[in-house]
Amino acid sequence: MIRTGIGFDIHRLAEGRKLVLGGVTIPHPVGLEGHSDADAVCHALMDALLGAVAAGDIGQHFPNTDPRWKNADSLEMLAIVAGLVRARGYEIANTDAMVMAEAPRLAPHIGLMRERLAAAMGIQPDQVSVKAGTHEKLGAIGRGEGIGALATAALYRLENRRM
Ligand code: MG
């Protein structure tokens, strides 16, 4: 049994916020605004995992009105979602994420992001892909107003395991 899911997230960049992407704090004059740490990569991955088991979305599981998730570490939220997937009898085969950011250059941080995301999901870094690109100065992301992320996840369930 194989299932796949897709997720997307976008956050506005603002002064006085840390920039956290894929669980890595990246030196930058502005950071992402949000209720949690606003890690768009983690959030897109969470929605991909939830989508793969048809378990709703991040907003249902982590309401932004809940003080528990105020400034929350999104890696912890991602770990909770990975646990939910396993509780339903599925294992994560692989995930893939595409970060859309005009700046900063993310290439030097991709390796650490893959390690931290893999650890949070209980899988190996070679099962976790993170890619990054700009929007060629087009639109809101291209003007540097925000950073977005797309993600997919593939899950599998062994035949002899029950939901
Ligand atoms: Mg988000």
Side-chain angles (χ1 to χ4, degrees), residues 44-102:
L45 279 167
M46 290 163 68
D47 262 352
L49 292 171
L50 290 169
V53 291
D57 62 32
I58 185 172
Q60 282 169 252
H61 291 267
F62 303 90
N64 62 11
T65 49
D66 189 335
R68 237 185 327 168
W69 312 118
K70 178 101 181 110
N71 296 318
D73 179 344
S74 293
L75 283 176
E76 287 175 24
M77 293 156 69
L78 179 61
I80 291 170
V81 170
L84 178 149
V85 160
R86 287 203 178 84
R88 292 187 178 218
Y90 286 90
E91 289 297 326
I92 301 167
N94 76 296
T95 64
D96 191 12
M98 178 76 220
V99 194
M100 296 165 275
E102 210 62 26

Side-chain angles (χ1 to χ4, degrees), residues 9-11 38-40 43 58:
D9 193 33
I10 187 165
H11 284 265
D39 184 336
H43 295 178
I58 185 172

